[in-house]
Amino acid sequence: ESLSTQRPTCRRAMGADGTPRPAVRVVQASDGDRRLHAAKPAYPGDALVVEEPLLLVPSDPFALIAASPEGAAMLEASRALGNLRPFAAYAAYAALHLEKRCAVDAFKVEASASAVRTLRRAVQTLLEEDPAMEAAADWAEVVRLHGVMTCNALQLPDGCLALYEFIAVGNHSCAPNCEIANGQVQQTEGPHGPHRIALLQATRHIGVGEELTYSYVPAAILNATTRDRTDFLRLHRGFSCHCVSCQPSPEVLRLRRRLWRGCQSVMQVRSAGLAPNQPRFALQLSYFRDSDDLDVAVTERPRSGRAPRHR
């Protein structure tokens, strides 16, 4: 029986007030997305969430996959696919209890993320070339779970991917009010190996009901231009950031409105000596990456006997 048919449709039980942890609560937004909000006031340095991974994918997943009941078939499929990593989340998910599977299923997958699109195309090509491989795995679940980890999990210093039930609900912001403590995850030894305990702490004062956010991108990208941050998030996470730091300045908004009005006016102007569908003016739009600014040049098309004019 495939994992997709075994996947439960339940939701993890929470308290009557919807508070999974004393300091935070998960809120269902009007767009269907989940958000992490503060359940009580927090101050800089306060620990809001401390938890172990819900799902963990090691940097070298061979042993994890080989130990699963369908390990031989998955290893054969991974060799045909040329990539072992997507089957790691599949094998780890299969080993979870029902309650934890419910929590994993609550996470969304950004279909536009580069890793998801690449894997989906690779699977499609593999099955077209070798239809017999379709029985090797539940490929829809392989793609879905790989997407869940790619779009929601934290990359640990040792190369592991860790999906945290509550921390992973927090949205990205280029001006966050929280951070993962020390920029990494604490690893403490336990009876079954190291625990990857993540600590989400406040970086400023946070009021009750305020959304908790942290940065998904490295510090070097966070301090880069808006366009660079947007390109990074769209490529690796499959979404565009619309936080306060990524919103265009009032000057840029005014320039865009003027440009739009100018385009409408210019394209309506026709010269009697030109063809009916040939505009009298040409537009040249320039974008300056360093300042996130726009510039426009309007050039009148030359007529006989005189040079073009710039406006």
Side-chain angles (χ1 to χ4, degrees), residues 2 70 73-74 77 87 90 133-140 142:
S2 66
E70 302 175 357
M74 285 192 286
F87 291 91
Y90 182 77
M133 292 301 300
E134 188 170 358
D138 187 347
W139 291 102
V142 170

Short mmCIF file of all heavy atoms in Angstrom, two decimals, residues 2 70 73-74 77 87 90 133-140 142:
data_model
loop_
_atom_site.label_atom_id
_atom_site.label_comp_id
_atom_site.label_asym_id
_atom_site.label_seq_id
_atom_site.Cartn_x
_atom_site.Cartn_y
_atom_site.Cartn_z
N SER A 2 0.58 2.19 -0.88
CA SER A 2 1.41 3.37 -1.02
C SER A 2 1.23 4.30 0.17
O SER A 2 0.22 4.28 0.86
CB SER A 2 1.06 4.12 -2.31
OG SER A 2 -0.24 4.64 -2.24
N GLU A 70 11.20 -0.99 2.45
CA GLU A 70 11.31 -0.99 0.99
C GLU A 70 12.67 -0.47 0.55
O GLU A 70 12.81 0.09 -0.53
CB GLU A 70 10.20 -0.12 0.39
CG GLU A 70 8.79 -0.57 0.76
CD GLU A 70 7.72 0.38 0.23
OE1 GLU A 70 8.10 1.41 -0.36
OE2 GLU A 70 6.54 0.08 0.41
N ALA A 73 14.20 -1.60 -2.97
CA ALA A 73 13.52 -1.00 -4.11
C ALA A 73 13.85 0.49 -4.23
O ALA A 73 14.05 1.01 -5.33
CB ALA A 73 12.01 -1.20 -4.00
N MET A 74 13.92 1.18 -3.07
CA MET A 74 14.22 2.61 -3.10
C MET A 74 15.66 2.88 -3.54
O MET A 74 15.93 3.85 -4.25
CB MET A 74 13.94 3.24 -1.73
CG MET A 74 12.46 3.43 -1.45
SD MET A 74 12.14 4.48 -0.02
CE MET A 74 12.59 3.36 1.30
N ALA A 77 15.68 2.51 -7.21
CA ALA A 77 15.05 3.68 -7.84
C ALA A 77 15.95 4.90 -7.76
O ALA A 77 16.02 5.68 -8.71
CB ALA A 77 13.70 3.96 -7.17
N PHE A 87 14.74 10.32 -1.57
CA PHE A 87 14.15 9.17 -0.91
C PHE A 87 14.36 9.19 0.60
O PHE A 87 13.75 8.40 1.32
CB PHE A 87 14.72 7.88 -1.50
CG PHE A 87 14.28 7.62 -2.91
CD1 PHE A 87 15.01 8.08 -3.97
CD2 PHE A 87 13.10 6.93 -3.16
CE1 PHE A 87 14.60 7.85 -5.27
CE2 PHE A 87 12.68 6.70 -4.45
CZ PHE A 87 13.43 7.16 -5.52
N TYR A 90 11.23 10.45 2.24
CA TYR A 90 10.23 9.40 2.02
C TYR A 90 10.39 8.28 3.04
O TYR A 90 9.42 7.81 3.66
CB TYR A 90 10.38 8.89 0.59
CG TYR A 90 9.40 7.83 0.15
CD1 TYR A 90 8.10 8.17 -0.19
CD2 TYR A 90 9.79 6.50 0.03
CE1 TYR A 90 7.20 7.20 -0.62
CE2 TYR A 90 8.90 5.53 -0.40
CZ TYR A 90 7.60 5.89 -0.73
OH TYR A 90 6.72 4.93 -1.15
N MET A 133 9.77 1.22 -13.63
CA MET A 133 10.22 1.86 -12.38
C MET A 133 9.06 2.48 -11.61
O MET A 133 9.23 2.87 -10.46
CB MET A 133 11.27 2.93 -12.68
CG MET A 133 12.60 2.40 -13.18
SD MET A 133 13.37 1.26 -12.01
CE MET A 133 13.54 2.32 -10.58
N GLU A 134 7.89 2.55 -12.22
CA GLU A 134 6.76 3.18 -11.53
C GLU A 134 6.37 2.43 -10.27
O GLU A 134 5.87 3.02 -9.31
CB GLU A 134 5.57 3.27 -12.49
CG GLU A 134 4.40 4.07 -11.93
CD GLU A 134 3.35 4.35 -12.97
OE1 GLU A 134 3.55 3.96 -14.14
OE2 GLU A 134 2.33 4.97 -12.61
N ALA A 135 6.61 1.12 -10.25
CA ALA A 135 6.26 0.31 -9.08
C ALA A 135 7.33 0.36 -7.99
O ALA A 135 7.11 -0.19 -6.90
CB ALA A 135 6.05 -1.14 -9.51
N ALA A 136 8.46 1.02 -8.24
CA ALA A 136 9.55 1.03 -7.26
C ALA A 136 9.25 1.92 -6.06
O ALA A 136 9.80 1.69 -4.97
CB ALA A 136 10.85 1.48 -7.92
N ALA A 137 8.40 2.92 -6.23
CA ALA A 137 8.11 3.85 -5.13
C ALA A 137 6.83 4.59 -5.42
O ALA A 137 6.33 4.60 -6.56
CB ALA A 137 9.27 4.83 -4.95
N ASP A 138 6.30 5.23 -4.41
CA ASP A 138 5.15 6.13 -4.58
C ASP A 138 5.73 7.48 -4.97
O ASP A 138 6.06 8.32 -4.13
CB ASP A 138 4.37 6.22 -3.26
CG ASP A 138 3.08 7.01 -3.42
OD1 ASP A 138 2.92 7.68 -4.45
OD2 ASP A 138 2.24 6.95 -2.51
N TRP A 139 5.88 7.69 -6.27
CA TRP A 139 6.64 8.84 -6.76
C TRP A 139 6.01 10.16 -6.39
O TRP A 139 6.72 11.14 -6.14
CB TRP A 139 6.82 8.72 -8.28
CG TRP A 139 7.72 7.61 -8.68
CD1 TRP A 139 7.35 6.39 -9.17
CD2 TRP A 139 9.15 7.59 -8.59
NE1 TRP A 139 8.45 5.60 -9.40
CE2 TRP A 139 9.57 6.32 -9.05
CE3 TRP A 139 10.10 8.50 -8.17
CZ2 TRP A 139 10.91 5.95 -9.11
CZ3 TRP A 139 11.43 8.14 -8.22
CH2 TRP A 139 11.84 6.88 -8.69
N ALA A 140 4.69 10.21 -6.34
CA ALA A 140 4.03 11.46 -5.94
C ALA A 140 4.41 11.84 -4.51
O ALA A 140 4.65 13.01 -4.19
CB ALA A 140 2.51 11.33 -6.07
N VAL A 142 7.22 10.83 -3.00
CA VAL A 142 8.64 11.16 -3.01
C VAL A 142 8.82 12.65 -3.34
O VAL A 142 9.56 13.37 -2.66
CB VAL A 142 9.41 10.28 -4.02
CG1 VAL A 142 10.84 10.79 -4.20
CG2 VAL A 142 9.42 8.84 -3.55
#
